[in-house]
Amino acid sequence: MSSRSSAAPTEAGLARWARYAVRHRGRVLLGWIAVLVLLGVLGSTIGGEYANNFTIPGAEAQKAVDLLEERFPSQAGDSATIVVQTDAGVDDPAVKQRLTDLLTKAARLPQVTGVVSPYDNPAAISDDRTIAYATVSYDKQASEVELDNATQLLDLVDNSSASGFQVEGGGPVATQAEQADPFGLSAIVGIIAAIVILLIAFGSVIAMGLPIATALFGLMAGSLGIAIVTRFMDLNEFTPAFGVMIGLGVGIDYALFVVTRFREGLGNGLSVEDAIVRAVDTAGRAVAFAGTVVAIALLGLFAIGIPFVAALG
């Protein structure tokens, strides 16, 4: 009697599901694609907007912010810093005119309530008078400043630099704009690094590609799911970035665990089908348990009592 016929009747749970998936892999793949398409449709139709609310109920810092917003709204927001380094020195008439024009443009940006020039604040100029900074105040906390408005400041800074007149931007508002894209360079670098490491470890393009492909597939489904949840919960706009970090790291790691066990089964003489079933029934169980523990641990963030942290969990 073949190993297939003798093993199947006694299998249950993950092992039985794995054997079914192997024998009907086309259906399973189409099913996952259908789920992804469904999530995409739901995300685009009922998905809400990300929130920009960093309230910490009961905290002294929150009380101070609330008081500022009530009594001194122009001072309640965060700020950005414009730093200028010039070879000629900030007292040079041409430099002074150029810097003044730059700050005038900054003062006209949306949501800006005021700009403190280094010429009005002697402490903002270095001893050798070649470096100075200006403070740009906004009417909202950095997380609540419109992304387009924060980006305009960075664009102004980038367009103002020239030979002998270097301009840089910093501060909470500038940082918020620079970190706005969760699927930016950092995610790409992470994927490239994973490809190189897995190629070295496995020496096979297929073995390398499978963990990355499954992780990316899960990442897309998770991101679309997050978009749907925004309809029902206030999720901060950096939530997708957090999801990318968890998804790439844990997704590749768990998939790699299963793929490694599958390759061990092939090396021990099992058929492809039996190697898959054993990998899912052993490593797959460990992955399911570990993933559940991670989920429970993240939901523990509700215990902190901070709304946006709880929503992130």
Side-chain angles (χ1 to χ4, degrees):
M1 182 178 293
S2 67
S3 60
R4 175 182 298 181
S5 60
S6 61
T10 61
E11 291 173 347
L14 283 175
R16 179 176 296 177
W17 178 89
R19 195 172 296 279
Y20 174 86
V22 173
R23 296 177 180 177
H24 304 280
R25 50 188 174 274
R27 297 179 186 177
V28 174
L29 181 60
L30 288 176
W32 276 109
I33 294 175
V35 169
L36 190 62
V37 172
L38 177 62
L39 289 174
V41 172
L42 292 176
S44 61
T45 55
I46 69 173
E49 298 290 336
Y50 290 103
N52 290 313
N53 187 12
F54 275 99
T55 59
I56 308 177
E60 293 295 329
Q62 185 62 51
K63 293 178 181 178
V65 170
D66 293 341
L67 184 60
L68 281 173
E69 290 180 345
E70 179 183 353
R71 304 292 180 86
F72 308 99
S74 63
Q75 303 297 319
D78 273 324
S79 64
T81 304
I82 297 178
V83 182
V84 175
Q85 190 277 328
T86 173
D87 298 335
V90 296
D91 296 318
D92 181 84
V95 171
K96 188 172 183 178
Q97 182 62 47
R98 193 169 190 172
L99 179 53
T100 301
D101 291 343
L102 169 61
L103 299 183
T104 300
K105 293 178 181 179
R108 296 172 181 169
L109 295 177
Q111 292 192 263
V112 172
T113 60
V115 176
V116 178
S117 169
Y119 298 112
D120 298 327
N121 179 20
I125 302 176
S126 64
D127 292 338
D128 61 4
R129 316 245 352 138
T130 60
I131 300 175
Y133 71 86
T135 302
V136 182
S137 299
Y138 281 78
D139 61 357
K140 299 289 185 180
Q141 297 293 302
S143 61
E144 299 176 356
V145 174
E146 294 292 335
L147 178 59
D148 290 342
N149 297 340
T151 303
Q152 287 186 43
L153 175 69
L154 295 182
D155 293 340
L156 175 62
V157 167
D158 292 338
N159 296 331
S160 298
S161 290
S163 177
F165 188 83
Q166 182 180 356
V167 184
E168 301 290 346
V173 175
T175 301
Q176 185 77 5
E178 291 172 342
Q179 297 179 347
D181 181 12
F183 299 98
L185 181 61
S186 60
I188 295 175
V189 171
I191 294 174
I192 293 175
I195 290 174
V196 173
I197 293 172
L198 292 179
L199 270 176
I200 295 174
F202 284 149
S204 167
V205 174
I206 295 178
M208 171 276 295
L210 184 59
I212 293 177
T214 55
L216 290 177
F217 194 99
L219 191 60
M220 288 188 290
S223 298
L224 292 172
I226 291 174
I228 296 172
V229 173
T230 57
R231 170 65 64 178
F232 311 101
M233 295 182 64
D234 289 335
L235 298 181
N236 196 274
E237 61 183 8
F238 62 70
T239 304
F242 193 77
V244 169
M245 178 183 68
I246 296 284
L248 285 180
V250 175
I252 293 176
D253 180 44
Y254 287 173
L256 181 60
F257 191 18
V258 178
V259 170
T260 300
R261 185 57 57 88
F262 164 71
R263 286 166 61 89
E264 288 179 355
L266 291 181
N268 292 331
L270 296 178
S271 67
V272 172
E273 180 176 321
D274 288 338
I276 292 175
V277 172
R278 177 170 296 184
V280 172
D281 197 34
T282 54
R285 290 180 184 275
V287 166
F289 176 78
T292 302
V293 172
V294 170
I296 294 174
L298 290 175
L299 291 176
L301 293 175
F302 276 88
I304 295 178
I306 301 176
F308 76 88
V309 174
L312 185 64

